[in-house]
Amino acid sequence: MRIAHLSDIHFGGENVEAVAAATQRLAADHLDLVVVSGDLTRFGEKGEFTAAAAWLKQLPEPLLVTPGNHDAPYFAVYDRVFTPFARYERAIGRARFQTHLSPGLAVYGVNTARGVQPRANWSKGQISEHQVEEALAWFAKAPEGVLKILVCHHPLTEMLGGPMTGKVWRGEAAAKAFAEAGVDLVLTGHIHAPFTWPYGYGDGKTYAAGCGTLSVRERGVPAGFNIVETDAAEMRITALAWTGKSFESERTWSLARR
């Protein structure tokens, strides 16, 4: 099984050459799924969503896309407070959750972004108990033995030494619940840097994996995206980095499957 994981394209501030090269590379690949884990836009502007929607149409299907904090309007404060994902849903699709089920694979996307929060930095993440319960109920109905993947924008637990934080409210509790339920992989974006690590819950074989950005907002890491390959024994996650001319393999992690 082969999955492409992209995030944080930030149309309006995208790395034009890297986006074009990634699009071309994905079109030539043999993929079982393409995942985009949020922040398709820079400020949630209508023109940015138009560009993002046009780009998504160029990607191979099936495709699962979840929103990020930048996909709530930054400057249209009324819209951000009262209808934070209306623009996203008109241009891209459902914001609250997304699902993909195919032979051997069950993927659930959950929205950890909010347009407003009772804290100053509303760009940080949240995941409610109800969202976790909904996701777990859906996974419980999946066929036995499938690879279970959760997708959200913000890392549920912090990347040690990362360039920024997610500070997800209820993130640790959610990570524990997903690990104990046997979710295999949690794919995220937000921090613009690739990483993997195991959650310290359950049997230790639930892993977090983040990918880089395809925008010019690099945080000490080249633009890039990840390829996830799985077989019966392991999951291999390769971070591809943009050199200015092509994407080259920067690092591959091998993660044991349960």
Side-chain angles (χ1 to χ4, degrees):
M1 195 176 301
R2 190 171 171 86
I3 299 166
H5 175 208
L6 305 92
S7 196
D8 297 81
I9 297 87
H10 290 292
F11 277 98
E14 75 274 24
N15 185 321
V16 175
E17 292 182 344
V19 170
T23 306
Q24 186 177 27
R25 180 165 181 149
L26 295 180
D29 207 336
H30 298 285
L31 298 164
D32 295 280
L33 179 67
V34 176
V35 168
V36 183
S37 58
D39 277 5
L40 282 87
T41 66
R42 180 175 54 174
F43 295 126
E45 298 288 340
K46 295 176 182 178
E48 295 168 359
F49 276 119
T50 298
W55 174 67
L56 291 174
K57 290 179 180 178
Q58 299 177 56
L59 299 184
E61 295 183 339
L63 181 66
L64 186 143
V65 186
T66 193
N69 52 283
H70 277 265
D71 297 321
Y74 262 48
F75 300 119
V77 178
Y78 181 93
D79 291 343
R80 174 159 56 82
V81 172
F82 294 104
T83 57
F85 298 104
R87 293 180 182 180
Y88 176 95
E89 292 194 321
R90 284 194 295 268
I92 309 301
R94 181 168 57 186
R96 190 166 71 91
F97 70 93
Q98 309 78 32
T99 63
H100 170 81
L101 189 62
S102 60
L105 182 62
V107 186
Y108 189 96
V110 63
N111 185 5
T112 55
R114 301 293 188 267
V116 64
Q117 297 187 48
R119 55 177 168 172
N121 193 341
W122 56 269
S123 72
K124 300 301 182 182
Q126 280 194 34
I127 185 166
S128 71
E129 187 175 353
H130 181 64
Q131 285 179 299
V132 174
E133 290 172 350
E134 282 188 323
L136 292 179
W138 185 84
F139 280 124
K141 297 176 182 178
E144 187 174 350
V146 299
L147 186 75
K148 296 178 180 179
I149 299 178
L150 182 88
V151 179
C152 55
H153 180 64
H154 299 82
L156 297 178
T157 62
E158 297 298 344
M159 175 189 176
L160 298 179
M164 67 177 297
T165 62
K167 293 187 177 179
V168 178
W169 280 1
R170 290 193 51 81
E172 288 282 354
K176 184 174 186 290
F178 290 131
E180 292 178 346
V183 172
D184 296 287
L185 197 58
V186 178
L187 300 180
T188 61
H190 188 62
I191 64 173
H192 295 199
F195 65 87
T196 68
W197 70 78
Y199 286 155
Y201 307 108
D203 60 6
K205 291 184 179 179
T206 295
Y207 299 90
C211 75
T213 181
L214 286 178
S215 77
V216 297
R217 299 184 66 195
E218 297 174 7
R219 298 191 177 105
V221 180
F225 65 97
N226 290 354
I227 295 292
V228 180
E229 298 174 289
T230 72
D231 55 31
E234 66 180 7
M235 300 174 287
R236 294 175 300 280
I237 300 178
T238 299
L240 299 174
W242 176 243
T243 67
K245 294 182 179 180
S246 63
F247 284 99
E248 302 295 336
S249 177
E250 184 176 51
R251 182 175 178 181
T252 297
W253 295 268
S254 295
L255 313 175
R257 287 189 62 173
R258 60 171 50 84

